[in-house]
Amino acid sequence: MPHWGTDDAVAELRRALSNRHAQADRLRFRNVLLRVIRRMAQGADVSGVFAEMVKAGATRDVVQKKLVYWYMGTYAALQPGLALLAVNTLRKDCSDPSPAVRGLALRSLCGLRMPGIQEYIQQPILNGLRDKASYVRRVAVLGCAKMQKLQGDTEVDGVLVNELYSLLRDQDPIVVVNCLRALEEILRREGGVVINKPIAHHLLKRMSDLDQWGQSEVLAFLLRYKPRSEEELFDILSLLDGSLKSNSPSVVMAATKLFLVLAKDFPQVQTDVLVRVKGPLLAACSSESRELCFAALCHVRQILGSLPGHFSSYYKKFFCSYSEPHYIKSQKMEVLCELVNDENVQQVLEELKSYCTDVSAELAQGAIFAIAVVQAFRDLVWLCPQCTEAVCQALPSCEEAMQDSEGKQALIWLLGVHGERVPSAPYVLEDFVENVRSETFPAVKMELLTALVRLFLFRPAECQDILGRLLYYCIEEETDMVVRDRGLFYYRLLQAGVEEAKRVLCSPKSDPSLGLLEDQAERPVNKWASEFNTLVPVYGKACWAIVTANWAMEPRCGGFHCAAPMTAGTESLISEGNKEVLQVHSDSAGLTLIPKAHLTAEQFEKTWLSLDVNCQQALPWRGAAHPDTIQTALQVVHIQTIAMSKAGAQPWKAYLSAQDESGCLFLTELVLETENSEMQVSVKQSEERTEALQYFISVLRTVMGTVLGLKS
Amino acid sequence: MSASAVFVLDLKGKPLISRNYKGDASMAEIDHFMPLLMQKEEEGALTPLLTHGKVHFLWIKHTNLYLVATTMKNANASLVYSFLYKVVEVFSEYFKELEEESIRDNFVVIYELLDELMDFGFPQTTDSKILQEYITQQGNKLETGKSHVPPTVTNAVSWRSEGIKYKKNEVFIDVIESVNLLVNTNGSVLLSEIVGTIKLKTFLSGMPELRLGLNDRMLFELTGRGKNKSVELEDVKFHQCVRLSRFDNDRTISFIPPDGDFELMSYRLNTQVKPLIWIESVIEKFSHSRVEIMVKAKGQFKKQSVANGVEISVPVPSDADSPKFKTSVGSAKYMPEKNIVIWSIKSFPGGKEFLMRAHFGLPSVEKEEVEGRPPIAVRFEIPYFTVSGIQVRYMKIIEKSGYQALPWVRYITQSGDYQLRTQ
């Protein structure tokens, strides 16, 4: 047997294709064609028989036609000259009496991705749009979008667009949805298909004819429609009520999103909607399809962000089943932790405890799983102190499963804070101290130091010796300076007396994750409604920001003055050279900010609240914000910092003020939601002067760009 | 949604077949899929959504295949997963088992199907009966009792073609209730729910109008029939053919059905019911020597009913050997590849109690890795019985040609995710 795709094989196929006897016998010839297609499917290059295949396309046999058309779709771009020969056959087939053949030919014609094809496909597409068979119209409508894509940057054909808009009234439901899809692609530059009142109401009327794909997409298109009155809004909501109960999870999700977005000014309606999708969402969470179940769980978590405890009475639905994949178990655990309340805490903890020893198929997964559990325990302690007791009882069972630094840290932290109630705490910590030499993560050692010092304050007799050994190790043997410093610090702190040490160490606010937890509570629905039913909640907002961070950077950096990255340490802030750069910018911009315009915080707040936002922009950003650097940089261009969050706060915020010579105030808010995304800038102006505002923005951009440059 | 392409890959990540719908992402992107999947799996961070650069991979696994949709858009994940499952469903209808072998054997049909299922990245007709009109190759399956179907010119409804003809007009109604159960180690029921579905198989000519009558409590209350023998359905969901407005108005379930098999509706019942088959187990492990297992199964349903095909899987340690069994009824079989013993009982009458004992040897050298504690899983089927007591009161079939059609009804209760945790 010849090797796939070698010249021999192609020559052999060519011979077979031009064999007159084979051509005469339909079945035999079809077999030859099948051989060609099979090789093509296997990735071999059989473009060498293109001419023969074009000839084979001139047939009445539909099966043969199909085979030939697939072949052409694959190789036309490689053989544009020969492909033009095929175009004729295809065009002729576009007026075949059978609608199946017409549709097939038109789809294949539009699928030939080769230069110069447009002039040949335009007429068949226009005919197709008016074809009496819906099958052909469906193909023709999407053909319009394909044609536009082939043409690239050329102007949009207004006549065609109008034709598509009128086809929204087509009888066939798939033609209707395809029209929306095609218009969306064709009009992308102008912001996509326009959904005005007649179109919106027409789509609402057709909703029940559509299949689940159509419904999901139409619901997404309707997001664009703004009802004129409250009455209309509620009419739409009641018309679409059935979609919330659809048997297709994707329709339920799309409908939920539409409801949340349309009712953005009616929090009560939003809450009501979320109550009503509870059932469908729970059903999706126990769906047979793991992937759908996963997507639903991610969305449940998003809802919980705004309505904590929303699913509390159904917490048992989120108990893990033994054979579920890790990604579902971990989502369920996150959900469980958020559903904990006074009544179910005991059951939830019992359940979580049983997961600690879960060793699923892979040991690695099991370990990570257990870590997540302990972290969840820690979060529980913060969220509801009354369950500490139960957590403490559960703790000793999971120390053996710890493998990874984060899990160890979480466990050590818990033992430190609540060790007085865990009888075995000093001995568990002792194990860690014994093995401290082989510990690779400084963070674990630091956590261990803090925990042991704390525990020592409550149970001195049991801990004194262990603590002594640990301190000795940290001060005398440890090579990591940060750990050593921490060791010395505690040593000196203890020298200052037990009471003093207690005062420093026993304030409960030492856990950094606390801030995060507090912030998460009660995010308004409108903050995430627009992201609902996209990939964002499936990834988690923070992960999504990281995934997409690089995309946003690339295209925008072009038009943005990025100061050359400075290698000087960020500590020394801005060098003289940079100051000049900034100075030049602010002056040449035609806007002079006066240096001594000081606003008090109260004045700022009052003015800020009385003004509307004049300009909102996003600046590219990555990493955390360094308040000192930013403040210094802003001072250089005479922008005063009124208030700023601490480094690492999430979201990070800053309020700025500046005044120009004419006395116009520029009040600015900077918001950095998560690291590695964009910085949101909102500017308010005391007098509306667009030109000055633009200059001000450009100054701000330059400053922030320079700061960004300094960091990297 | 707009998918860029759809791929079917083998377990090693090699593309078996693919279709480039949009041409906006390079087809070579798929080469990143498998390394990414393995990397994430290693990190314990595997999810059904992976991203490489700007290309998102949404994937599902079916037998020994990966089905992957790529997209450059911030798509609606549930829609993409539903579509991939639909692809699996349609393929399976054409060639029974969807697996690597059948992909290779049927690649022409697959090309045809992929062509019709999606165009330019948008789902088109996905109803397998309607698809049939455009597929030239014969699938290995798909038996039909109907005569020639003319190509669709215009569909009044997207789920049914006009001009369908059968010699004998019949409807088969299956009422299936699955019981999901999770019982904790201490014997307390953590979770118990019933998921009901009503599935139809229609062999009806023309455009028939169907009306289904159930002993729905809401309906009975509306019509003043009292609560007797009625069922309170929660979370009812219908196939899109059902006119929801009518159901909301007067609880009438009326529809023009698709041709062939489809799921008409589903519902849930959260009322706690006594577990139909109750299991008590004692698994005693004597390190370095043996494991003794005792399992007691009790049928907690009506005496007149019989559970068929009962299979009770009991976990055993992976290093167990030399199995010995003793059962009061049925037979036990050791499945070393799954580390379970399956105790099968062909027919299990209600109210009865049966016992199985198993004995395994353990090696004297204990293996190092810790083992999980898999639950006991039970499978069963109880015909002519529904836990909820739901009943089909009537099925009216009206077609303008006025033919008589026969409805057939079948009830069945079966195990869903039915698990009892072990010590």
Side-chain angles (χ1 to χ4, degrees):
Chain A
M1 206 155 115
H3 283 294
W4 303 130
T6 58
D7 293 343
D8 284 351
V10 172
E12 200 267 329
L13 283 173
R14 187 178 297 133
R15 262 199 308 282
L17 282 168
S18 13
N19 184 332
R20 278 175 190 284
H21 298 292
Q23 282 169 357
D25 182 347
R26 210 170 68 175
L27 287 178
R28 190 170 149 195
F29 194 64
R30 202 185 278 177
N31 272 330
V32 180
L33 290 174
L34 276 175
R35 270 162 57 202
V36 176
I37 301 293
R38 188 182 291 270
R39 288 182 191 195
M40 180 183 94
Q42 284 162 341
D45 180 11
V46 280
S47 61
V49 293
F50 202 93
E52 287 75 13
M53 291 298 278
V54 172
K55 276 185 217 148
T59 169
R60 298 224 48 80
D61 180 19
V62 185
V63 182
Q64 190 169 328
K65 268 187 203 298
K66 250 191 188 176
L67 296 173
V68 172
Y69 291 167
W70 289 330
Y71 177 88
M72 286 176 187
T74 312
Y75 294 113
L78 297 176
Q79 303 260 10
L82 285 168
L84 279 182
L85 293 174
V87 168
N88 259 332
T89 326
L90 283 166
R91 281 181 56 133
K92 213 156 61 206
D93 283 344
C94 286
S95 42
D96 192 276
S98 152
V101 173
R102 291 203 297 276
L104 172 69
L106 187 56
R107 192 172 54 219
S108 311
L109 197 56
C110 299
L112 299 177
R113 297 188 187 106
M114 56 185 229
I117 186 84
Q118 299 94 296
E119 56 177 305
Y120 298 99
I121 61 177
Q122 194 163 19
Q123 197 53 46
I125 287 182
L126 287 176
N127 295 342
L129 290 177
R130 292 173 201 132
D131 200 291
K132 62 181 193 299
S134 56
Y135 181 66
V136 183
R137 293 200 299 278
R138 294 172 188 170
V139 173
V141 168
L142 288 182
C144 298
K146 293 178 192 169
M147 186 162 68
Q148 179 71 29
K149 190 159 184 285
L150 285 169
Q151 279 166 345
D153 287 336
T154 53
E155 242 174 72
V156 172
D157 180 350
V159 181
L160 195 67
V161 169
N162 282 340
E163 182 110 20
L164 287 173
Y165 270 117
S166 66
L167 271 172
L168 284 174
R169 311 251 162 213
D170 197 280
Q171 263 193 308
D172 183 80
I174 297 184
V175 172
V176 175
V177 183
N178 278 359
C179 276
L180 289 171
R181 293 157 166 166
L183 283 167
E184 180 71 10
E185 295 274 332
I186 294 171
L187 300 173
R188 204 170 33 199
R189 283 158 188 275
E190 284 117 89
V193 56
V194 177
I195 308 288
N196 59 21
K197 187 168 176 175
I199 294 180
H201 284 252
H202 170 70
L203 292 174
L204 287 166
K205 236 180 285 163
R206 295 299 303 271
M207 203 59 152
S208 58
D209 303 338
L210 308 178
D211 58 16
Q212 56 161 319
W213 323 115
Q215 288 186 355
S216 308
E217 283 188 68
V218 168
L219 287 167
F221 281 116
L222 284 173
L223 286 169
R224 226 169 264 176
Y225 180 61
K226 303 267 169 294
R228 306 278 166 79
S229 65
E230 226 169 271
E231 202 186 349
E232 190 189 358
L233 165 72
F234 285 103
D235 281 347
I236 293 177
L237 296 186
S238 59
L239 263 174
L240 289 176
D241 202 53
S243 308
L244 288 177
K245 293 182 217 147
S246 164
N247 64 347
S248 148
S250 59
V251 174
V252 175
M253 297 281 209
T256 310
K257 177 174 185 173
L258 180 65
F259 275 58
L260 294 179
V261 171
L262 284 186
K264 65 174 186 297
D265 299 325
F266 303 93
Q268 196 45 48
V269 177
Q270 288 182 325
T271 314
D272 185 49
V273 168
L274 291 175
V275 169
R276 291 196 312 129
V277 293
K278 220 188 241 184
L281 266 178
L282 282 170
C285 285
S286 48
S287 157
E288 269 176 58
S289 144
R290 299 163 155 195
E291 294 76 13
L292 286 172
C293 171
F294 173 70
L297 283 167
C298 293
H299 283 90
V300 164
R301 283 187 58 198
Q302 185 156 50
I303 293 173
L304 285 173
S306 295
L307 298 174
H310 188 55
F311 292 89
S312 280
S313 42
Y314 298 97
Y315 69 97
K316 284 182 176 174
K317 301 257 178 197
F318 300 98
F319 283 3
C320 302
S321 175
Y322 183 76
S323 50
E324 273 166 350
H326 178 248
Y327 56 79
I328 289 188
K329 284 184 179 171
S330 53
Q331 288 292 334
K332 281 192 171 173
M333 287 207 329
E334 300 263 356
V335 172
L336 271 178
C337 290
E338 294 187 42
L339 295 185
V340 170
N341 59 26
D342 287 1
E343 287 154 37
N344 62 22
V345 61
Q346 198 56 44
Q347 287 92 323
V348 171
L349 273 173
E350 273 301 307
E351 187 65 17
L352 285 178
K353 193 175 150 189
S354 73
Y355 300 157
C356 278
T357 44
D358 174 295
V359 185
S360 52
E362 282 133 293
L363 202 79
Q365 278 194 355
I368 293 163
F369 198 38
I371 289 154
V373 176
V374 174
Q375 281 169 339
F377 274 359
R378 182 184 56 183
D379 295 348
L380 279 178
V381 175
W382 279 109
L383 281 176
C384 54
Q386 68 272 28
C387 67
T388 312
E389 205 70 37
V391 174
C392 292
Q393 285 162 16
L395 264 183
S397 62
C398 46
E399 71 213 34
E400 277 162 22
M402 281 318 124
Q403 300 280 326
D404 163 278
S405 79
E406 269 183 58
K408 282 187 195 166
Q409 279 180 60
L411 177 66
I412 295 173
W413 179 86
L414 263 177
L415 287 171
V417 174
H418 299 287
E420 73 265 30
R421 283 185 256 180
V422 184
S424 64
Y427 311 102
V428 177
L429 288 180
E430 184 169 18
D431 283 344
F432 281 108
V433 173
E434 303 258 281
N435 297 320
V436 73
R437 278 179 187 78
S438 52
E439 179 56 59
T440 45
F441 295 95
V444 173
K445 297 180 190 171
M446 307 255 275
E447 200 69 62
L448 188 57
L449 264 170
T450 311
L452 203 52
V453 174
R454 243 186 224 217
L455 194 59
F456 166 74
L457 296 175
F458 291 99
R459 299 163 74 170
E462 291 159 289
C463 297
Q464 191 173 10
D465 178 52
I466 314 169
L467 180 61
R469 272 187 281 156
L470 183 64
L471 282 175
Y472 180 85
Y473 165 80
C474 288
I475 295 165
E476 297 294 328
E477 292 178 36
E478 177 59 46
T479 49
D480 189 305
M481 277 307 126
V482 184
V483 178
R484 188 166 174 270
D485 278 353
R486 180 73 66 95
L488 279 169
F489 165 74
Y490 284 130
Y491 182 69
R492 288 178 190 141
L493 183 65
L494 289 168
Q495 278 182 327
V498 172
E499 284 315 308
E500 185 63 15
K502 258 191 189 160
R503 200 180 59 77
V504 173
L505 279 172
C506 297
S507 60
K509 286 249 174 190
S510 66
D511 183 41
S513 65
L514 175 64
L516 261 177
L517 282 165
E518 277 174 345
D519 273 359
Q520 268 170 6
E522 320 247 349
R523 287 209 311 154
V525 172
N526 286 335
K527 269 220 151 164
W528 49 262
S530 60
E531 284 164 5
F532 197 80
N533 201 26
T534 64
L535 298 182
V536 182
V538 179
Y539 254 114
K541 200 171 162 70
C543 285
W544 178 258
I546 293 167
V547 166
T548 51
N550 303 331
W551 311 355
M553 296 299 274
E554 288 159 23
R556 286 192 205 173
C557 255
F560 181 67
H561 312 276
C562 273
M566 298 288 296
T567 41
T570 44
E571 298 301 313
S572 65
L573 301 174
I574 295 168
S575 68
E576 284 308 306
N578 261 313
K579 274 187 191 171
E580 268 161 41
V581 173
L582 294 171
Q583 208 72 50
V584 169
H585 262 284
S586 64
D587 284 341
S588 68
L591 169 89
T592 319
L593 297 174
I594 51 172
K596 291 206 168 54
H598 279 297
L599 222 58
T600 66
E602 289 76 36
Q603 284 170 322
F604 179 89
E605 194 178 337
K606 218 171 133 196
T607 328
W608 177 261
L609 292 174
S610 68
L611 295 173
D612 288 330
V613 175
N614 293 86
C615 173
Q616 219 159 4
Q617 284 206 350
L619 298 182
W621 195 259
R622 55 180 187 277
H626 289 291
D628 295 346
T629 321
I630 294 173
Q631 190 171 354
T632 317
L634 290 168
Q635 256 168 17
V636 175
V637 290
H638 309 310
I639 299 179
Q640 183 200 352
T641 310
I642 303 286
M644 227 177 225
S645 332
K646 277 186 293 186
Q650 275 183 334
W652 182 87
K653 284 188 187 176
Y655 291 93
L656 317 171
S657 131
Q659 195 170 13
D660 75 355
E661 283 175 326
S662 69
C664 174
L665 279 173
F666 298 90
L667 306 184
T668 312
E669 180 194 50
L670 303 177
V671 181
L672 187 64
E673 282 272 1
T674 36
E675 292 185 7
N676 298 315
S677 65
E678 294 167 328
M679 187 175 279
Q680 298 297 328
V681 182
S682 324
V683 183
K684 298 184 180 183
Q685 211 180 357
S686 64
E687 296 157 47
E688 250 182 71
R689 284 192 289 130
T690 328
E691 206 181 340
L693 182 66
Q694 272 164 4
Y695 284 132
F696 178 76
I697 298 277
S698 82
V699 170
L700 202 60
R701 269 183 177 277
T702 316
V703 176
M704 299 314 276
T706 313
V707 174
L708 199 61
L710 279 174
K711 286 175 53 172
S712 53
Chain B
M1 72 178 264
S2 178
S4 300
V6 170
F7 297 84
V8 181
L9 310 178
D10 67 9
L11 282 181
K12 293 193 185 104
K14 195 174 136 257
L16 294 172
I17 211 155
S18 62
R19 182 77 172 80
N20 185 357
Y21 286 111
K22 201 121 196 199
D24 59 351
S26 158
M27 292 297 273
E29 286 285 345
I30 197 66
D31 297 341
H32 299 292
F33 173 74
M34 204 30 108
L36 201 57
L37 184 137
M38 305 226 288
Q39 181 204 334
K40 290 281 172 191
E41 193 161 29
E42 200 135 295
E43 293 167 7
L46 184 64
T47 63
L49 166 63
L50 300 169
T51 302
H52 180 268
K54 290 191 177 189
V55 183
H56 305 292
F57 301 102
L58 291 107
W59 60 279
I60 65 170
K61 199 176 168 194
H62 181 84
T63 59
N64 53 359
L65 299 170
Y66 290 99
L67 280 91
V68 188
T70 55
T71 180
M72 310 267 286
K73 305 221 160 150
N74 187 2
N76 163 353
S78 331
L79 185 60
V80 181
Y81 295 133
S82 304
F83 178 76
L84 290 176
Y85 275 97
K86 191 75 196 178
V87 171
V88 170
E89 188 189 317
V90 171
F91 283 4
S92 309
E93 275 178 58
Y94 272 82
F95 30 90
K96 275 190 177 107
E97 295 282 302
L98 175 60
E99 45 167 25
E100 195 179 329
E101 189 80 347
S102 58
I103 291 275
R104 290 185 195 285
D105 292 348
N106 296 282
F107 72 98
V108 178
V109 191
I110 294 177
Y111 262 132
E112 289 204 76
L113 288 170
L114 285 176
D115 247 10
E116 302 293 345
L117 284 168
M118 197 175 238
D119 194 5
F120 206 46
F122 301 111
Q124 302 290 307
T125 307
T126 53
D127 186 297
S128 53
K129 286 291 163 115
I130 292 182
L131 274 171
Q132 232 180 343
E133 297 165 20
Y134 305 106
I135 304 301
T136 59
Q137 302 285 318
Q138 284 303 309
N140 298 342
K141 242 181 95 196
L142 275 188
E143 81 305 345
T144 46
K146 70 181 156 188
S147 53
H148 171 73
V149 181
T152 318
V153 177
T154 298
N155 278 354
V157 292
S158 59
W159 56 88
R160 189 180 179 93
S161 309
E162 280 175 36
I164 296 171
K165 276 201 184 75
Y166 285 98
K167 277 185 196 137
K168 198 171 171 191
N169 291 293
E170 288 176 308
V171 186
F172 296 89
I173 307 165
D174 275 335
V175 181
I176 303 163
E177 291 192 342
S178 301
V179 183
N180 294 332
L181 181 80
L182 184 62
V183 177
N184 214 351
T185 43
N186 56 10
S188 63
V189 175
L190 291 179
L191 189 75
S192 154
E193 65 170 1
I194 299 156
V195 181
T197 51
I198 298 186
K199 289 185 177 162
L200 259 58
K201 187 181 256 199
T202 59
F203 300 107
L204 297 170
S205 312
M207 281 286 172
E209 273 282 341
L210 271 58
R211 234 167 72 205
L212 177 71
L214 299 172
N215 55 341
D216 168 17
R217 178 158 307 165
M218 294 271 272
L219 176 71
F220 276 34
E221 277 167 10
L222 274 175
T223 52
R225 244 174 294 196
K227 288 186 180 181
N228 275 356
K229 290 199 172 174
S230 63
V231 176
E232 189 173 352
L233 305 172
E234 285 168 61
D235 218 353
V236 186
K237 286 188 276 184
F238 290 107
H239 186 273
Q240 65 161 144
C241 66
V242 176
R243 295 182 187 90
L244 289 175
S245 51
R246 285 209 61 185
F247 181 75
D248 287 340
N249 266 337
D250 56 9
R251 304 288 281 191
T252 310
I253 303 169
S254 82
F255 55 99
I256 298 174
D259 191 31
D261 291 298
F262 72 103
E263 187 182 303
L264 178 70
M265 62 181 283
S266 67
Y267 55 90
R268 278 189 320 149
L269 293 164
N270 280 315
T271 38
Q272 189 114 0
V273 289
K274 219 175 187 188
L276 294 170
I277 292 188
W278 185 250
I279 304 286
E280 278 169 41
S281 67
V282 181
I283 303 178
E284 268 184 302
K285 198 170 160 185
F286 302 90
S287 284
H288 315 302
S289 70
R290 66 189 196 279
V291 182
E292 305 267 7
I293 297 170
M294 196 277 291
V295 178
K296 194 160 78 179
K298 192 176 173 192
Q300 307 193 111
F301 45 91
K302 281 187 296 185
K303 283 201 173 63
Q304 304 92 297
S305 293
V306 174
N308 292 333
V310 178
E311 279 188 5
I312 301 164
S313 343
V314 185
V316 288
S318 60
D319 51 357
D321 55 42
S322 45
K324 278 181 212 133
F325 307 109
K326 215 161 128 187
T327 58
S328 60
V329 71
S331 64
K333 196 177 166 204
Y334 177 41
M335 313 276 277
E337 69 280 8
K338 289 183 187 156
N339 298 319
I340 51 171
V341 174
I342 294 186
W343 176 21
S344 332
I345 303 161
K346 277 216 183 85
S347 82
F348 194 138
K352 284 274 183 337
E353 202 176 284
F354 299 121
L355 207 67
M356 182 208 45
R357 287 179 190 280
H359 175 107
F360 285 89
L362 281 180
S364 52
V365 184
E366 207 166 339
K367 66 180 168 52
E368 277 176 13
E369 66 262 41
V370 202
E371 273 187 29
R373 288 176 307 197
I376 291 179
V378 185
R379 285 170 55 173
F380 59 85
E381 228 179 61
I382 308 175
Y384 318 113
F385 168 73
T386 53
V387 194
S388 65
I390 194 170
Q391 269 180 345
V392 175
R393 290 167 48 238
Y394 60 81
M395 168 70 99
K396 288 187 180 145
I397 303 155
I398 301 155
E399 216 276 335
K400 58 177 187 281
S401 65
Y403 60 73
Q404 289 292 310
L406 279 176
W408 303 90
V409 190
R410 192 161 63 166
Y411 300 95
I412 209 162
T413 293
Q414 63 188 25
S415 55
D417 191 12
Y418 199 99
Q419 298 190 343
L420 302 97
R421 292 181 178 164
T422 53
Q423 289 285 348

